[in-house]
Each structure stands twice: as C-alpha cells, then as structure tokens.
C-alpha cells in the first residue's frame, strides 16, 4: 500500500540510509508504484515513501518556493477548490491535482493547517527555519502509522512489516494484542499485534527537534465533533443534502479515471445519483458469483442503466478459487495481519477493477480507495 517510512536517529548515515531503503522496499507491492527517499542528517531524519503513479501524493518531496519547508504526504485531502485557488492568487506556486499546495497551507497557518484537511492521511513536515519536523496523521488514525522506539532511535512506517524487517526484536506476537483480536476482533489502546510496535494515536502532531524530547501533541479530539448540538430530523436532512452535494464533486478531481463500486446499498446509489457525471463517463461495477446474479448485481445494473452509465459484473468464480492460496497469504501479509484470508476476495476483484479504472470510488464509509 502507499505510505511513508522513517528513522530518527544519530546513528552513522550509511547505516540509516541502508535501513530506510530496506523499509521502502517493503511498501512496494505492485510494479506501478513509485518511491523515493529524503534525508536530512542535521535533523537526524532518514525518510522514504511509496505511492501510486499519477495520484495525489505522487509529487514528493514537496517544497515551498524558498526551499525551507518540506512535506512528505501519504493519503488524500479533498479540499474546497476555491481555497486552493486562493493560495495561488496569493502568489504561491504549486502543481495541479496533487498534494503540492499543502506545504503552502502550512506556510500560512502553521500546524493548524492539519485541522483543515479533509480525508485520511499521514505525513512528515520539515520546517528548516525552526530546525524541526512534525509527524502527523488524520483525525481518526485511519491512515495508520506504526512506530517503535529504542536506544538507537525512533522508527515509523505505514506498514508494520517495514519495522519487522529492520528490527529483529519486534518479530514476536504481543499476546495481549492477540487475545484482543480473538475477543474484540481488533487490537486496543494503540498497540499492534507485534511486540514493541505501537500505532501513532489518532489526530497526532508529534514534534521532533535535535537534542530535545519528542513533543507528543494532539491537534484534534473526537468530542469536538461528536459533542456538537443534536439536530432534528429535518435539520439533519437539510445539512446532509447540502454537505453531500458540496463535497461529492471533490472526489472526482484528479488525473486518473474514476470507477464506481456500485452495489444495491443506499450509500453507493446515493453517490451515483448525485455524481452529475455525463452519460457514459462513470464506469460502474459490482462483484458477482458464477451461477446467478445476486441482488446487488441486479439492482446496480438497473441503477447504472437509469443513470446512463456503463456497468460490468466482476465474477468471483473458478479463477479466484485457483488463486486462493496465494491470495490468502498475500492478504494477511499486506495487511500486517489485520485482515484474515477473507481479504483474498478483495485482492482478486481489486486487480480486475483497476483494469476498468485506476481509482475506485466506494460508498463504504463514504471513502475513496485506490485499487
């Protein structure tokens, strides 16, 4: 999966560079990934990334005009286009349809720019003016960042396997975490399945400076949203309709074609109904079985026809079963053990979906996923 890795240490440069290159390699699961590294020995940071070609984050590292602020960013931000245009009108220079405008938000707002971001993400922001860098993630920690601390330094990665690769002491299961998986189907309290590896808490902005302890700050607390005044049914509907029609078009921005993962559910049908795409320009697809059309396929096909969009059924049949052993092993590996063998279906259909469109728009959690 796309992501970032890094080492914060005063160890010899050649050691850290070899280690961070090894970590980056662990994130590359497909031939169409791009990758790179950024090193700042003065701040003691060795970092790297992997991402999909021509996606939002395929512009790293991101610098401001003065080359004194640098950003590594993984994930998405669905900002209001007028806010992006306003940055350019104020003299900032950046690319189109990518993350390069984010560094200028920091120039104008400092770390408060994190509160404006709309999406799931993680990143590292270096401020060479103040000789510091900030490690951050999204409000709810959906874009995971694993980390480990020891006497030699601080290590972080979007995938636990990159830490396991270079830190042999972590290659054992945390029995408490394993028990929570059996009981709760999840690991609790920002721990991971692996000994000595934790998750960066949601809404974090941890500040690193040379010869100073890490300042473990939080820029967001869930009760700021969850404690808002309750709306009546009518108020909720009006607010939902206004927000939906305002935000949804942002999910179609970008350099690559978008396909809609359409089911019989209300969520994806709402996306299609409000997408306002010209006829024939939004390919839709649905997972289906070999022997008969399920309700999802029937409803999705009919809905796509009404909206004058093409529809395909991606069959899960003999081809999937013949690949199941390899797909099952790969699903567990890629997900760092957070997904079981049922994830093999996702790997199978996502590869076929990518042939239809490289970007998948889904109604699940209102999210956008890269196939």
């Amino acid at each position: 999966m796309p992501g970032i890795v890094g080492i914060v240490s005063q160890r010899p440069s050649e050691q850290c560079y070899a280690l961070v290159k090894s970590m980056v390699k662990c994130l590359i699961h497909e031939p169409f990934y791009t990758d790179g590294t950024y090193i700042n020995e003065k701040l003691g940071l060795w970092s790297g990334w992997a991402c999909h070609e021509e996606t939002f984050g395929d512009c790293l590292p991101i610098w401001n005009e003065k080359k004194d602020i640098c950003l590594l960013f993984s994930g998405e931000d669905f900002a209001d286009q007028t806010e992006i245009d306003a940055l350019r009108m104020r003299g900032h220079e950046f690319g189109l349809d990518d993350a390069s405008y984010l560094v200028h938000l920091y120039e104008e707002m400092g770390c408060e720019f994190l509160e404006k971001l709309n999406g799931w993400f993680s990143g590292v922001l270096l401020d060479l003016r103040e000789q510091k860098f900030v490690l951050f993630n999204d409000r709810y920690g959906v874009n995971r960042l694993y980390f480990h601390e020891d006497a030699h330094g601080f290590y972080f990665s979007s995938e636990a396997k990159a830490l396991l690769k270079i830190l042999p002491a972590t290659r054992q299961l945390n029995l408490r975490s394993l028990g929570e998986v059996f009981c709760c189907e999840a690991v609790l309290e920002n721990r991971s399945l692996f000994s000595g590896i934790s998750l960066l808490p949601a809404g974090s902005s941890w500040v690193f400076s040379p010869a100073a302890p890490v300042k473990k700050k939080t820029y967001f607390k869930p009760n700021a949203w969850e404690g808002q005044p309750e709306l009546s049914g009518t108020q909720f509907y009006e607010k939902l309709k206004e927000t939906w029609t305002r935000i949804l078009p942002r999910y179609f921005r970008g350099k690559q074609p978008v396909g809609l993962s359409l089911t019989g559910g209300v969520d994806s049908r709402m996306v299609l109904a409000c997408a306002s795409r010209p006829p024939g320009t939004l390919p839709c697809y649905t997972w289906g079985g070999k022997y008969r059309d399920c309700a999802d396929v029937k409803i999705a096909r009919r809905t796509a026809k009404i909206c004058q969009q093409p529809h395909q059924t991606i069959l899960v049949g003999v081809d999937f079963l013949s690949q199941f052993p390899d797909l099952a092993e790969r699903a567990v590996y890629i997900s760092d053990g957070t997904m079981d063998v049922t994830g093999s279906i996702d790997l199978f259909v996502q590869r076929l979906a990518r042939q239809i469109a490289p970007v998948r728009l889904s109604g699940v959690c209102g999210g956008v996923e890269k196939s």
Side-chain angles (χ1 to χ4, degrees):
M1 294 178 287
I4 58 174
V5 300
I7 300 173
V8 185
S9 177
Q10 296 303 318
R11 297 170 68 175
S13 177
E14 61 275 9
Q15 292 183 19
C16 290
Y17 183 70
L19 290 174
V20 82
K21 288 288 289 185
S22 181
M23 293 171 74
V24 170
K25 189 175 180 180
C26 290
L27 304 187
I28 301 174
H29 303 296
E30 300 289 348
F32 52 79
Y33 280 26
T34 64
D35 64 277
T37 58
Y38 171 76
I39 296 169
N40 189 307
E41 292 188 45
K42 189 173 182 180
L43 291 178
L45 174 66
W46 285 260
S47 59
W49 65 87
C51 66
H52 293 182
E53 293 177 330
E54 297 186 351
T55 55
F56 186 71
D58 190 16
C59 56
L60 306 182
I62 305 168
W63 289 95
N64 67 337
E65 293 90 349
K66 295 181 179 179
K67 299 290 185 180
D68 54 13
I69 301 175
C70 180
L71 175 64
L72 306 184
F73 189 86
S74 176
E76 302 280 355
D77 172 46
F78 300 99
D80 188 330
Q81 186 62 48
T82 59
E83 295 179 359
I84 300 175
D85 294 340
L87 283 171
R88 186 172 278 111
M89 292 177 63
R90 291 195 291 271
H92 296 291
E93 299 177 1
F94 48 87
L96 296 174
D97 299 323
D98 60 29
S100 55
Y101 65 88
L102 295 175
V103 73
H104 305 291
L105 279 180
Y106 173 78
E107 279 190 287
E108 296 198 353
M109 302 181 63
C111 281
E112 291 182 3
F113 92 100
L114 294 172
E115 300 176 22
K116 291 187 66 66
L117 301 187
N118 173 23
W120 60 58
F121 52 82
S122 59
V124 182
L125 191 142
L126 294 94
D127 190 330
L128 304 184
R129 303 168 304 182
E130 299 184 14
Q131 290 298 295
K132 69 177 185 181
F133 63 90
V134 181
L135 183 67
F136 61 87
N137 61 356
D138 60 73
R139 292 172 178 84
Y140 286 95
V142 180
N143 194 310
R144 296 184 174 200
L145 269 183
Y146 295 90
F147 72 90
H148 171 81
E149 292 182 88
D150 62 23
H152 299 292
F154 180 95
Y155 310 81
F156 63 89
S157 173
S158 298
E159 298 184 26
K161 65 182 68 64
L163 301 179
L164 300 174
K165 177 73 174 179
I166 67 168
L167 300 168
T170 64
R171 297 173 195 165
Q172 53 185 324
L173 291 174
N174 182 313
L175 295 182
R176 179 179 176 182
S177 297
L178 187 61
E180 290 171 351
V181 170
F182 289 133
C183 294
C184 309
E185 299 185 358
V187 180
L188 309 179
E189 297 178 342
N190 295 319
R191 281 176 283 100
S192 78
L193 280 170
F194 308 103
S195 179
I197 296 179
S198 302
L199 281 168
L200 195 72
S204 289
S205 54
W206 289 12
V207 182
F208 293 77
S209 302
V214 181
K215 298 179 181 177
K216 299 182 178 181
K217 299 182 178 181
T218 301
Y219 69 88
F220 174 77
K221 296 187 182 299
N223 60 14
W225 282 2
E226 296 165 2
Q228 296 180 81
E230 186 174 340
L231 301 177
S232 67
T234 300
Q235 291 172 323
F236 179 83
Y237 172 74
E238 293 300 327
K239 186 64 175 178
L240 175 63
K241 184 169 65 172
E242 183 276 328
T243 302
W244 188 267
T245 55
R246 175 170 50 86
I247 298 297
L248 183 61
R250 303 179 190 180
Y251 285 74
F252 293 94
R253 293 201 307 251
K255 303 174 183 178
Q256 297 178 300
V258 176
L260 176 60
S261 179
L262 184 61
T263 69
V266 174
D267 46 11
S268 60
R269 287 190 287 130
M270 284 179 61
V271 172
L272 181 59
C274 299
S276 299
R277 308 295 291 176
T281 62
L282 180 59
C284 303
Y285 46 82
T286 311
W287 322 147
K290 177 182 178 181
Y291 298 104
R292 64 187 64 85
D293 289 340
C294 62
D296 271 343
V297 170
K298 293 177 180 178
I299 295 172
R301 183 186 294 135
R302 181 182 177 189
T303 306
K305 184 177 180 180
I306 292 171
C307 294
Q308 300 180 19
Q309 301 297 349
H311 178 271
Q312 296 184 48
T313 302
I314 297 179
L315 295 179
V316 181
V318 175
D319 287 346
F320 165 71
L321 294 175
S322 67
Q323 300 175 43
F324 175 75
D326 292 335
L327 290 169
E329 181 178 348
R330 189 166 174 79
V332 175
Y333 172 75
I334 290 177
S335 67
D336 294 318
T338 61
M339 184 176 289
D340 60 25
V341 297
T342 59
S344 58
I345 298 175
D346 285 305
L347 286 184
F348 178 78
V349 297
Q350 298 291 10
R351 288 174 177 171
L352 298 176
R354 184 176 174 81
Q355 297 174 18
I356 299 172
V359 179
R360 175 192 173 202
L361 181 60
S362 167
V364 178
C365 302
V368 167
E369 305 170 7
K370 293 290 184 296
S371 300

